[in-house]
Amino acid sequence: MPVSATQPAKPAASGPYNELYHPVTVGQLRLEGNLFLAPIAGYSDMAFRSLCAEYGASLCTTEMVSAEALTRGSEKTEALMRKAPAEKFYAVQIFGGNADVMARAALLVLERTDCDIIDINAGCPVPKIIKSGAGSNLTRDPELLYSIVRAVKEAAARYDAENPGRGTVPVTIKIRSGWDSSHLTWKEAAQAALEAGADAITLHARTRQQGYEGKADWNIQKQLVDFINRRIPVFGSGDAHTPETARAMLEQTGSDAVMFARGAMGDPFLFRRTREYLLTGAYTDEPPQERISAGFRELEMNMAQNGEKSACLQMRKKFCAYSSGLRGGSQLRRQIVNASTLAEFKSIFAPYL
């Protein structure tokens, strides 16, 4: 159970808390901590990333960006890549199944953003992404994965050579443990990424077949850490959704960092609580007023970017997450899913404002 502000802090369990929270070096980039926000479609937009960075995320990653759409000049795709106000460091994640297109997309990312990392998606299990040759398809095709990572690495090096001063932006990759339980190809995928020059690997320790169901296999996560053997950093994703589970992942797998995904939805405070827990063995919950206030700050940032109508529709699902655990939460959520204006949201949450 979380340690609330009104309860005595639980004693620190055994374990080197001050060693579990630490800086991480990716290529030439030094990150101040090891708690990251994963790319989450429909959630890790600029506004939410800004809040996560404010509350302690050392690195946030954009929603995945289609390399094909980017090279065709999609304005909507370019909007996904904007840096958030509070972000010190951030990554742009791109996906695609063609090495040449991915290289051209990487150059566009470098030309049009000041991102600190380019991340390659080799884990998305969504059928339409896989059919394009991208996402989890790359995990079962090490040769294609190699060619894509290599092409993006060469594009980053070429951009640096032609635009001295920025430094070569690191290239990372996120993979899954395999296609299904009979085809666990994480080792082949990791080897291909290493040989192609990847600067870090994130593993979501589920198969493509699992999607987002079932348990992540942290034993595979540990095996990857052992296989990489400190040659590059390894980040863990999957079932780390609380301070306690984040600590458990770090302790049990030896991963260099935790990448929060669904656990952070509607809860940017998770980074602050987890950092406290790793450093001290205890943490405090934020009061309901602070939680709802953060939700409105996210809404206002989205309104400034997308207009009130679009932002309010998007915030329906997000306010459902922000209201989790509040007294009368189920009744609140019935109202939330019908709200369409800032005024309506303020009326719903008036007791917390």
Side-chain angles (χ1 to χ4, degrees):
M1 292 293 291
V3 179
S4 72
T6 59
Q7 294 176 325
K10 67 170 70 172
S14 60
Y17 291 92
N18 58 338
E19 296 178 7
L20 292 177
Y21 183 79
H22 54 74
V24 177
T25 299
V26 182
Q28 301 175 359
L29 177 68
R30 180 177 169 84
L31 301 169
E32 297 171 352
N34 60 339
L35 303 176
F36 305 158
L37 175 68
I40 315 168
Y43 275 89
S44 56
D45 54 26
M46 186 176 70
F48 185 62
R49 297 198 322 270
S50 188
L51 288 175
C52 290
E54 179 182 333
Y55 286 108
S58 296
L59 178 72
C60 298
T61 304
T62 66
E63 300 176 70
M64 61 180 183
V65 173
S66 166
E68 289 280 358
L70 184 58
T71 57
R72 292 173 183 171
S74 167
E75 293 183 6
K76 182 179 180 180
T77 296
E78 287 206 31
L80 295 175
M81 304 191 300
R82 295 172 186 164
K83 188 174 185 177
E87 285 181 316
K88 185 174 181 180
F89 301 110
Y90 86 115
V92 172
Q93 187 184 76
I94 57 176
F95 74 91
N98 180 284
D100 291 337
V101 174
M102 287 286 279
R104 287 190 282 122
L107 287 173
L108 290 173
V109 171
L110 294 171
E111 289 171 3
R112 300 175 186 181
T113 78
D114 57 353
C115 74
D116 304 282
I117 290 174
I118 293 179
D119 186 55
I120 296 169
N121 184 309
C124 181
V126 175
K128 69 177 182 180
I129 303 298
I130 292 170
K131 287 179 181 178
S132 71
S136 293
N137 182 68
L138 299 181
T139 308
R140 64 173 178 172
D141 190 342
E143 291 185 5
L144 179 57
L145 185 152
Y146 172 90
S147 66
I148 285 175
V149 175
R150 193 65 187 167
V152 174
K153 282 285 293 185
E154 290 174 350
R158 184 163 67 251
Y159 183 86
D160 179 38
E162 296 172 355
N163 300 273
R166 180 174 182 175
T168 303
V169 171
V171 174
T172 62
I173 185 166
K174 186 175 183 181
I175 66 174
R176 283 196 170 229
S177 54
W179 188 252
D180 54 37
S181 59
S182 299
H183 301 86
L184 299 177
T185 55
W186 60 268
K187 185 178 290 187
E188 292 84 353
Q191 182 64 39
L194 269 175
E195 292 177 359
D199 294 291
I201 297 177
T202 300
L203 173 65
H204 182 159
R206 286 184 172 89
T207 64
R208 187 281 318 173
Q209 185 181 53
Q210 282 181 279
Y212 301 100
E213 303 299 326
K215 291 187 65 176
D217 190 339
W218 288 359
N219 183 53
I220 291 178
Q221 181 74 37
K222 184 180 187 306
Q223 290 178 55
L224 175 62
V225 170
D226 293 341
F227 174 72
I228 295 297
N229 194 26
R230 302 298 174 189
R231 287 174 284 180
I232 58 175
V234 176
F235 311 143
S237 178
D239 290 351
H241 45 75
T242 65
E244 291 88 350
T245 51
R247 190 196 80 201
M249 174 185 279
L250 291 170
E251 290 181 331
Q252 294 175 25
T253 70
S255 297
D256 295 285
V258 172
M259 188 169 280
F260 290 114
R262 287 176 293 169
M265 293 180 183
D267 187 13
F269 314 99
L270 176 59
F271 298 93
R272 182 178 66 187
R273 295 196 305 270
T274 303
R275 181 178 183 274
E276 289 178 7
Y277 191 57
L278 295 181
L279 291 173
T280 70
Y283 61 92
T284 56
D285 286 321
E286 66 285 346
Q289 289 79 7
E290 184 178 4
R291 188 186 310 175
I292 299 306
S293 175
F296 274 98
R297 286 197 288 130
E298 182 176 351
L299 172 57
E300 288 163 2
M301 282 189 278
N302 270 324
M303 284 174 56
Q305 182 179 7
N306 304 312
E308 182 175 10
K309 181 179 179 180
S310 176
C312 286
L313 290 176
Q314 183 184 37
M315 283 300 295
R316 287 176 175 176
K317 63 183 179 183
K318 295 189 174 188
F319 266 126
C320 284
Y322 277 110
S323 66
S324 178
L326 297 184
R327 180 178 298 177
S330 59
Q331 182 178 353
L332 282 174
R333 286 186 283 278
R334 283 196 291 271
Q335 299 177 63
I336 289 168
V337 296
N338 291 306
S340 300
T341 66
L342 174 61
E344 289 174 352
F345 278 120
K346 285 187 173 180
S347 175
I348 292 169
F349 289 106
Y352 299 98
L353 299 176

